[in-house]
Amino acid sequence: MTRRLKKFYIEITSICNLACSFCPQTKRAKGFLQIEDFKKRLDQIKGYTDSIYFHLKGEPLMHPKIGELLDISHEKGFKVNITTNGTLLYKVRELLLEKPAVRQMNFSLHSFDGHAGSTDKEGYIGSVLSFVREAVSRTDMIISLRLWNLDQDNATNAEKQRNRELLALIEKEFGLDYRIEERVSPGKGVKLADRVYLNQDYEFEWPDLAAEEDDGKGFCYALRNQAGILVDGTVVPCCLDGEGVINLGNINDRPFSEILEGERASRLYDGFSRREAVEELCRKCGYRKRFGAGA
């Protein structure tokens, strides 16, 4: 029986227009996924998932042919989730609103304060909220507004104040009679309107081989409900391996079905079945601890 993957990440570009403090710049070659390669990838993963994410590293709205990628996704029966910093909405706003493939838009609002060169916070959030307004009225799109910038050690003062201006604009937009901070907690969201949600969480930390290693105990859903393909074709087990450290194989050289059943992928999968991280990067990833003993 084909393993079903709830989330499949297809990196359509490794290039980003921002340099955020919470997101290390990739050391990989910069590039855009070509149309023919995208088609081949969708054909390879058909049967494993119906839902793809234009995400791993890079800013998907930078892709010069994102409209064509969305059309191809729709033709091949895939729904698309896009994670973006939202700063390039003005370039592709109408295009996104017209494409039936788009299931969900995730806006990383913490990118504004995370990027040292950001200016005009009100203009930025106004552009995002204007898009949200149109999306809700004209489409069936789901919207997730994300503020993943809380500090684990001090999530009460400076960070909350930093977000207050932005949250006030959101409260005004949706006519809320409460402060969002009163209803939302790290890791959980609040429904702002029909199909519109806001999520706050602690600042995102990419796992790093230079980090400290723990005992490796724990569980992860890598290759159980998710996998990813970097722009160069490297297959990775999850959305957190942004540098392709756990290289399971290249989809340009081997079929995805073969890669998924390969030795390295099987060792990782079987390891987590025993609640054990066999890969060094996994032993240095804090997200594994969130899942506890696993299912």
Side-chain angles (χ1 to χ4, degrees):
M1 186 175 72
T2 300
R3 191 184 308 172
R4 293 290 292 176
L5 299 168
K6 185 179 178 182
K7 297 180 178 180
F8 207 110
Y9 298 90
I10 297 184
E11 184 184 70
I12 62 172
T13 180
S14 55
I15 304 168
C16 189
N17 63 316
L18 300 185
C20 296
S21 58
F22 56 82
C23 185
Q25 297 296 293
T26 181
K27 298 180 181 66
R28 295 182 284 116
K30 303 288 196 295
F32 294 103
L33 182 59
Q34 300 301 304
I35 295 296
E36 286 308 310
D37 288 333
F38 181 70
K39 289 179 181 177
K40 289 175 186 174
R41 282 170 204 189
L42 293 191
D43 290 340
Q44 291 267 342
I45 67 173
K46 191 72 176 173
Y48 290 96
T49 190
D50 302 316
S51 185
I52 56 176
Y53 290 69
F54 286 179
H55 185 49
L56 250 145
K57 286 288 188 77
E59 168 51 55
L61 302 192
M62 289 190 72
H63 199 293
K65 296 185 177 178
I66 188 169
E68 200 171 336
L69 297 180
L70 289 169
D71 288 339
I72 294 165
S73 301
H74 182 63
E75 289 163 11
K76 292 183 178 289
F78 291 91
K79 284 294 184 182
V80 179
N81 306 273
I82 298 175
T83 298
T84 173
N85 58 47
T87 58
L88 301 176
L89 265 180
Y90 68 95
K91 287 188 171 184
V92 290
R93 176 190 170 104
E94 277 305 310
L95 181 151
L96 293 172
L97 290 169
E98 292 170 359
K99 299 299 182 184
V102 182
R103 172 187 172 271
Q104 180 167 329
M105 291 288 296
N106 304 315
F107 291 98
S108 300
L109 302 183
H110 45 280
S111 301
F112 185 90
D113 285 318
H115 178 68
S118 296
T119 57
D120 187 15
K121 183 182 287 190
E122 191 167 343
Y124 165 69
I125 191 63
S127 170
V128 172
L129 293 177
S130 172
F131 176 87
V132 172
R133 205 179 305 130
E134 287 288 302
V136 169
S137 66
R138 290 171 50 183
T139 75
D140 295 324
M141 203 181 293
I142 299 166
I143 303 290
S144 174
L145 304 175
R146 297 175 172 180
L147 268 176
W148 292 357
N149 60 0
L150 297 178
D151 186 325
Q152 295 261 17
D153 300 319
N154 182 23
T156 56
N157 300 316
E159 293 72 28
K160 288 191 175 181
Q161 187 57 42
R162 179 179 60 187
N163 292 334
R164 176 86 299 264
E165 180 185 351
L166 191 149
L167 292 174
L169 293 168
I170 293 173
E171 290 158 4
K172 182 180 179 182
E173 170 70 22
F174 293 100
L176 304 183
D177 60 0
Y178 60 86
R179 282 195 165 206
I180 289 171
E181 296 98 325
E182 298 168 1
R183 303 282 182 92
V184 72
S185 57
K188 295 184 179 178
V190 60
K191 185 174 182 177
L192 302 175
D194 183 36
R195 292 179 280 116
V196 184
Y197 303 87
L198 184 136
N199 299 86
Q200 274 201 279
D201 211 334
Y202 296 113
E203 184 168 309
F204 187 88
E205 283 189 39
W206 290 89
D208 190 333
L209 287 177
E212 197 172 322
E213 191 171 313
D214 61 23
D215 62 6
K217 300 299 181 186
F219 180 80
C220 181
Y221 288 97
L223 299 183
R224 273 181 163 73
N225 76 359
Q226 66 171 282
I229 307 174
L230 301 179
V231 71
D232 69 351
T234 300
V235 176
V236 293
C238 72
C239 64
L240 298 180
D241 189 2
E243 290 302 295
V245 173
I246 307 174
N247 183 343
L248 301 176
N250 195 295
I251 202 162
N252 298 319
D253 304 325
R254 293 166 61 200
F256 177 73
S257 55
E258 229 177 76
I259 292 172
L260 194 61
E261 300 301 326
E263 183 182 349
R264 191 169 189 180
S266 297
R267 282 184 67 248
L268 184 148
Y269 185 96
D270 293 343
F272 280 124
S273 295
R274 303 188 303 270
R275 285 24 181 186
E276 176 189 342
V278 300
E279 289 282 349
E280 182 183 359
L281 189 69
C282 298
R283 294 194 295 271
K284 296 177 175 180
C285 178
Y287 273 69
R288 169 171 42 86
K289 299 168 187 174
R290 294 188 176 198
F291 304 127

